[in-house]
């Protein structure tokens, strides 16, 4: 179990958000209350991503994501108050980590993982992740090959990933870092006429492919681009707070605000400031049986 948090809305103090509330993400590192048998405390590091404003007037410029990570417990790092406390952002993704048994405890294993304007966190575990993700990669390539055949393109343009060796680009030897290699590939392939037209499609395709090979996989994903947030629930907790002008997603509510709503299992959440939609994920038959 890890715990993660996403925010979109008016500029907010990055450090303040991490310590906000009596049951802040900071506190959830040592007293999480909804662990669902996925660990005890989240003391194997943490990370925070925020977005710097794009240069005004530069056509096509997007807010650039940047991050801070440390493999030590969050409560040992004065940078949370002293550095992150100085920063403001219109969006934040933060995570505290409980390393899955057998996975390394190092800075590069800590979410958020980033690429271009994307930031990503995974709360969960993929059993037998090396074999599973090689099989998932083959499935995703097949989806693209089929779509390409339908569009009557040449077979060479069909592959999403040239080879399973792309998984070696994972920043760390963990399920989450390798999963990010696949998700960022899908995000880079977003196109109006392809099999992935939106981040929602990318998450749906990826989750269904993993569950097809490993039913019951814990896959609470959190994705942001500085403007919007997306999340999935698969066997872990998630709550959403929709306020007038901001939205927060968090593994556990950080305070007693009555607007917190708990998200059911197997949902896809899409959030913008003050707005959130929750739709059921399309699941492979094996996962439907299990749930
Ligand atoms: N399996 C991931 C890791 O080891 C996430 C762990 C978790 O959610 N506890 O980093």
């Amino acid at each position: 179990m890890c715990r993660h948090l996403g925010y979109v809305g008016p500029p907010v103090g990055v450090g303040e958000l991490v310590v906000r509330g009596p049951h802040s993400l900071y506190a959830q590192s040592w007293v999480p209350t909804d662990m669902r048998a996925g660990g005890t405390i989240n003391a194997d590091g943490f990370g925070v991503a925020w977005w710097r404003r794009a240069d005004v007037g530069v056509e096509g410029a997007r807010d650039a994501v940047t991050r801070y990570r440390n493999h030590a417990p969050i409560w040992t790092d004065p940078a949370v108050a002293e550095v992150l406390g100085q920063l403001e952002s219109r969006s934040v993704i933060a995570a505290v980590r409980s390393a899955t048994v057998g996975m390394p405890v190092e800075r590069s294993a800590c979410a958020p993982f980033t690429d271009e304007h994307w930031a990503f966190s995974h709360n969960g575990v993929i059993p037998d992740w090396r074999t599973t993700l090689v099989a998932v990669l083959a499935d995703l390539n097949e989806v693209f090959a089929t779509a390409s055949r339908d569009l009557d393109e040449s077979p060479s343009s069909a592959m999403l990933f040239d080879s399973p060796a792309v998984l070696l680009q994972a920043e760390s030897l963990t399920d989450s870092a390798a999963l990010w290699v696949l998700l960022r590939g899908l995000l880079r392939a977003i196109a109006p006429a392809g099999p992935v037209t939106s981040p929602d499609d990318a998450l749906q395709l990826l989750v269904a492919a993993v569950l097809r090979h490993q039913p019951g996989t814990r896959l609470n994903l959190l994705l942001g681009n500085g403007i919007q947030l997306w999340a999935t629930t698969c066997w872990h907790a998630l709550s959403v707070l929709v306020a007038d002008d901001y939205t927060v997603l968090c593994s556990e509510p950080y305070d007693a605000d009555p607007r917190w709503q708990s998200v059911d299992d197997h949902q896809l959440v899409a959030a913008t400031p003050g707005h959130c939609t929750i739709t059921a994920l399309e699941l492979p038959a094996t996962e439907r049986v299990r749930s």
Side-chain angles (χ1 to χ4, degrees):
M1 173 205 62
C2 303
R3 302 286 78 174
H4 54 210
L5 175 150
Y7 169 94
V8 267
V12 69
V14 175
E16 183 274 319
L17 188 69
V18 171
V19 300
R20 183 184 289 180
H23 192 57
S24 60
L25 187 73
Y26 191 71
Q28 288 173 36
S29 62
W30 67 91
V31 277
T33 55
D34 193 0
M35 306 175 297
R36 306 194 180 179
T40 47
I41 62 167
N42 299 288
D44 298 317
F46 71 100
V48 184
W50 64 96
W51 280 260
R52 282 176 290 119
R53 274 211 121 120
D55 291 339
V56 179
V58 178
E59 204 182 329
R62 308 188 63 142
D63 288 2
V65 70
T66 186
R67 67 181 166 181
Y68 175 79
R69 298 180 295 171
N70 184 350
H71 67 280
I74 192 170
W75 63 84
T76 66
D77 190 339
V80 175
E82 293 174 2
V83 181
L84 301 182
Q86 311 294 316
L87 304 169
E88 284 203 333
S89 177
R90 293 180 291 175
S91 189
V92 176
I93 285 188
V96 289
R97 178 170 185 239
S98 165
T100 297
V101 173
M103 293 190 189
V105 176
E106 57 191 12
R107 186 204 307 255
S108 55
C110 294
F113 302 99
T114 55
D115 183 53
E116 296 176 349
H117 51 274
W118 298 106
F120 168 74
S121 166
H122 167 220
N123 163 210
V125 55
I126 304 173
D128 195 9
W129 65 272
R130 291 174 175 85
T131 313
T132 305
L133 293 183
V134 168
V136 167
L137 180 145
D139 277 15
L140 296 176
N141 268 347
E142 189 50 42
V143 169
F144 274 73
T146 307
S148 182
R149 274 195 297 274
D150 291 349
L151 288 171
D152 209 21
E153 284 174 12
S154 72
S156 59
S157 64
M159 301 285 271
L160 177 60
F161 301 104
D162 291 341
S163 133
V166 74
L167 288 165
L168 294 172
Q169 291 172 6
E171 241 188 302
S172 175
L173 277 176
T174 69
D175 52 356
S176 309
L179 188 68
W180 175 233
V181 171
L182 298 185
L183 179 57
R184 82 177 178 202
L186 288 166
L187 295 170
R188 287 174 183 172
I190 288 176
V196 179
T197 59
S198 64
D200 309 59
D201 287 350
L203 289 166
Q204 168 64 61
L205 256 180
L206 184 64
V207 168
V210 175
L211 294 179
R212 205 159 30 244
H213 292 281
Q214 285 289 351
T217 295
R218 291 172 179 247
L219 277 179
N220 275 38
L221 310 182
L222 177 61
L223 175 73
N225 62 1
I227 300 165
Q228 265 181 279
L229 297 170
W230 294 263
T232 62
T233 51
C234 288
W235 309 112
H236 265 307
L238 184 75
S239 288
V240 51
L241 170 63
V242 182
D244 288 346
D245 60 352
Y246 68 90
T247 302
V248 187
L249 308 178
C250 195
S251 301
E252 300 177 12
Y254 54 61
D255 62 15
D257 192 316
R259 293 172 296 182
W260 283 107
Q261 264 179 267
S262 158
V263 181
D264 288 345
D265 224 355
H266 294 124
Q267 305 296 309
L268 173 65
V269 181
T272 51
H275 188 72
C276 176
T277 58
I278 301 175
T279 49
L281 285 164
E282 283 163 36
L283 302 174
T286 41
E287 188 74 1
R288 283 200 295 271
V289 168
R290 195 178 185 281
S291 56

